Amino acid sequence: MRAWLRAPRFSIAATALATMIMLPHPLAAAGPEFRLRLGEDPETLYNVKSFSLTVGDVLGPYLLERLVYFDESGQPRPWLAESWTISEDQQQITFKLRSGLKFSDGTDLDAAAVKFQFDQVMDKKNAAPTLPLLGPLTSVEAVDPLTVNFNFDKPFAPFISNIAQASFGFNSPSAVKKSGDQYGRHVVGSGPYMLKSWEPGTEIVLVRNPNFHQWRGDALNKGEPYADKFTLTVLSEEGVVLNALQTGELSAAPVATDVIDKLASNPKINLVIKKVVNNLLFLEFNETRAPFNDVNFRRAIGYAIDRDAAVKAAYGGYGAPELNSMASGIPGYDPQIPKQFGSPYDPVKAKAILAEGGWKKNADGLFEKDGKPARFVIKSYAGFEPISRTLAVIQSNLADVGIAVTLETSDWGTFFPGLLKGDWDMDLMRWTWTDPGILSILFRSPGHRKMLLANAAQDEGLDRCNTIMDPEKRKGCVAGNQKALLESATIVPVLSNWFVVATQANVKDYHLDFFNALIPGDMQLAQ
């Protein structure tokens, strides 16, 4: 799951580097092709073998379709499924498929194909990284060509949002069997486009699928896709991307915050900004160590942090301070909870809470208790400028209230597993997810890094929300979890960064869905 945890790559290169990279010629104004940026080359295009964001960015919008999608309000809607029902004991979900569904190779996308996909994930020989997302799923039955039963040994509410992700899009069973171990280079789905070619490290070319039918209700274009072809060009350096956008060599690209203002003043460029996002940057604590086993000490940390300053420093203002324990783009987010139970910036209150807890200032200006000064370490991961800038703001904020922190960063492969050792005080973590079940994954004691103290009441609430299959009823439960996590100060939320895409001014309807994935069939050139 590593790629879902990491921040986007924001390594800024000098724009002069652009002259060293050979890019295709700028698009003709009326050309039927769009050329988009891909931040890195995917390791495979078989979703049974990979769970990375990059793989999802290729498969999800263009190549593979799913049973359900989520509409603009965050509600699940039928996609390839025509409808679904849940058994009285909530341990079986039955999907009715639309008739006549086809993969781009002309084979049937029917109940047997759906079963095949999930069987591949559940087959332990495949070591599918998405298997945990299926929870207590025990079997999948193809009842008839258009009916599929999913059987669970207990209710599992996150299932619906989990299978809306690219990781559970459908591959042609015939193509999988034909290509064997090489299928990841020859993927066949039912999406609006088909894989034409893939030059590793350079580009992926996708052409229109003649068998495609748009079933999504949130799509603006209900007919065939406007563009004949999409070319996804692998560009990792932000300076190169900036130059390619300015010269018209790229139709559109997600961009780092450091270059947004340079593009905003360019009349040939439009910015698409998605402010409802599903990422959250937060501080978490090793509660097995004093004083982080004290809820009031953790709460004081929350009041000490200037989140507005962090957003400005880390993302140039293209983000939002966050006081809630869950990102705003996850279904069930309750904006009233942080207003009542959050810890807004108030250094005076932070100092007062510490003083009430027996902490006193020493000669060095630091708080001290039982002869031990408030000196701690915050760990995080290296290589991402927004993380470094946020850490600097937090370090300064805590120093202002009398808490000294040392910052330690390392690469993700060292940092994240290292937290299991328990030799740390606080860490700065970023998580991207699409379902409120993330709260249970992260914060059900002993927590995802095994450093949270037991909290029976909080755990019961987290467990209960994962068993409520009705989305509306689940919202109330999830709101209770958001409140509980703030009251216990399990984490200190800091911010969420917005999703920003730059497009050429003549690009029309660069349309993002609820989870910030492009709906490519909508994209067209303005007349």
Side-chain angles (χ1 to χ4, degrees):
M1 299 184 191
R2 175 181 173 189
W4 289 85
L5 311 178
R6 293 174 59 179
R9 287 189 169 89
F10 290 144
S11 58
I12 308 302
T15 56
L17 286 175
T19 61
M20 302 170 61
I21 306 294
M22 296 301 294
L23 288 170
H25 295 295
L27 297 175
E33 172 188 349
F34 289 114
R35 186 174 294 274
L36 307 186
R37 175 204 188 175
L38 194 61
E40 61 184 357
D41 200 41
E43 65 274 24
T44 179
L45 287 179
Y46 190 21
N47 57 357
V48 172
K49 297 295 185 179
S50 178
F51 188 33
S52 78
L53 284 174
T54 301
V55 173
D57 286 345
V58 179
L59 295 179
Y62 305 98
L63 298 172
L64 306 185
E65 296 179 293
R66 278 80 79 193
L67 290 172
V68 301
Y69 72 94
F70 275 65
D71 67 14
E72 295 89 342
S73 65
Q75 292 298 305
R77 301 296 181 195
W79 189 351
L80 295 183
E82 195 170 61
S83 64
W84 68 89
T85 56
I86 300 171
S87 63
E88 188 173 344
D89 66 2
Q90 300 192 87
Q91 293 181 211
Q92 184 181 79
I93 305 177
T94 299
F95 286 91
K96 290 289 186 179
L97 301 179
R98 301 181 190 276
S99 62
L101 298 174
K102 297 286 185 180
F103 289 105
S104 62
D105 62 3
T107 59
D108 292 336
L109 200 172
D110 55 9
V114 172
K115 174 178 169 57
F116 177 85
Q117 178 69 28
F118 283 89
D119 284 350
Q120 292 295 299
V121 175
M122 296 173 71
D123 186 343
K124 293 185 179 179
K125 290 185 297 184
N126 288 325
T130 52
L131 179 58
L133 300 183
L134 299 181
L137 181 67
T138 58
S139 65
V140 180
E141 300 175 86
V143 178
D144 61 46
L146 299 180
T147 307
V148 188
N149 285 342
F150 290 81
N151 303 307
F152 302 81
D153 62 17
K154 61 181 179 181
F156 184 58
F159 180 75
I160 296 295
S161 60
N162 288 351
I163 65 170
Q165 307 311 310
S167 302
F168 293 102
F170 298 110
N171 299 275
S172 163
S174 296
V176 173
K177 295 171 184 176
K178 177 181 178 181
S179 297
D181 292 341
Q182 297 303 308
Y183 176 73
R185 295 280 169 177
H186 305 282
V187 61
V188 175
S190 63
Y193 291 88
M194 306 181 296
L195 178 63
K196 179 182 180 181
S197 63
W198 180 2
E199 186 177 348
T202 302
E203 67 180 22
I204 294 173
V205 178
L206 308 166
V207 294
R208 189 184 296 169
N209 172 12
N211 293 325
F212 177 72
H213 182 93
Q214 182 59 271
W215 297 107
R216 292 184 62 146
D218 60 342
L220 303 177
N221 173 25
K222 308 303 182 184
E224 65 179 18
Y226 293 117
D228 289 331
K229 181 166 68 171
F230 277 85
T231 300
L232 309 182
T233 303
V234 179
L235 296 174
S236 60
E237 299 293 344
E238 296 297 331
V240 178
V241 173
L242 174 63
N243 185 74
L245 285 166
Q246 291 174 327
T247 59
E249 293 168 295
L250 280 178
S251 307
V255 290
T257 53
D258 286 348
V259 304
I260 293 174
D261 286 340
K262 297 176 183 177
L263 294 168
S265 59
N266 187 336
K268 296 181 180 180
I269 298 292
N270 289 333
L271 294 179
V272 178
I273 302 176
K274 191 76 177 293
K275 297 184 179 182
V276 178
V277 293
N278 52 13
N279 67 76
L280 181 66
L281 188 65
F282 57 93
L283 274 178
E284 57 185 347
F285 307 98
N286 181 352
E287 295 182 6
T288 68
R289 282 186 166 189
F292 302 101
N293 58 346
D294 179 355
V295 62
N296 288 319
F297 188 88
R298 301 195 301 267
R299 188 170 289 122
I301 297 289
Y303 283 109
I305 295 175
D306 186 348
R307 295 164 176 83
D308 288 313
V311 170
K312 184 176 181 180
Y315 291 101
Y318 291 94
E322 185 56 78
L323 295 173
N324 204 351
S325 52
M326 192 172 83
S328 63
I330 296 179
Y333 178 90
D334 188 336
Q336 299 305 313
I337 297 296
K339 294 178 182 178
Q340 300 177 55
F341 304 100
S343 55
Y345 181 52
D346 189 341
V348 174
K349 188 169 186 176
K351 293 177 185 178
I353 292 173
L354 293 171
E356 291 169 5
W359 291 83
K360 298 179 180 179
K361 287 288 186 76
N362 62 20
D364 295 327
L366 293 181
F367 273 106
E368 183 178 282
K369 186 176 181 180
D370 299 328
K372 297 180 180 180
R375 293 184 181 275
F376 307 108
V377 173
I378 299 179
K379 292 191 174 187
S380 196
Y381 51 100
F384 301 95
E385 197 61 32
I387 295 295
S388 299
R389 295 172 183 173
T390 304
L391 285 169
V393 170
I394 292 173
Q395 182 182 46
S396 176
N397 291 160
L398 293 179
D400 288 344
V401 300
I403 298 174
V405 295
T406 300
L407 306 177
E408 293 184 4
T409 61
S410 56
D411 64 90
W412 180 265
T414 301
F415 158 70
F416 191 64
L419 295 179
L420 292 170
K421 297 177 182 178
D423 59 344
W424 53 280
D425 301 313
M426 297 177 274
D427 76 72
L428 184 66
M429 182 69 71
R430 184 183 186 274
W431 208 280
T432 299
W433 206 255
T434 57
D435 184 85
I438 186 62
L439 300 181
S440 178
I441 293 171
L442 294 179
F443 308 128
R444 191 195 189 286
S445 63
H448 72 116
R449 299 293 87 190
K450 313 302 181 187
M451 300 300 159
L452 297 183
L453 298 179
N455 188 329
Q458 186 166 287
D459 289 349
E460 187 279 330
L462 292 168
D463 291 343
R464 181 163 44 85
C465 288
N466 281 345
T467 66
I468 300 175
M469 302 297 290
D470 184 305
E472 286 302 315
K473 292 181 180 178
R474 192 180 182 211
K475 283 183 179 180
C477 183
V478 171
N481 285 341
Q482 293 164 60
K483 172 186 173 185
L485 289 165
L486 292 180
E487 288 183 320
S488 66
T490 298
I491 63 169
V492 170
V494 180
L495 61 84
S496 292
N497 63 284
W498 295 337
F499 186 65
V500 183
V501 176
T503 76
Q504 298 300 323
N506 65 343
V507 170
K508 182 180 177 182
D509 293 332
Y510 189 98
H511 181 200
L512 299 172
D513 70 7
F514 183 76
F515 292 131
N516 296 329
L518 176 66
I519 301 179
D522 290 348
M523 195 169 162
Q524 58 181 311
L525 289 174
Q527 298 300 316

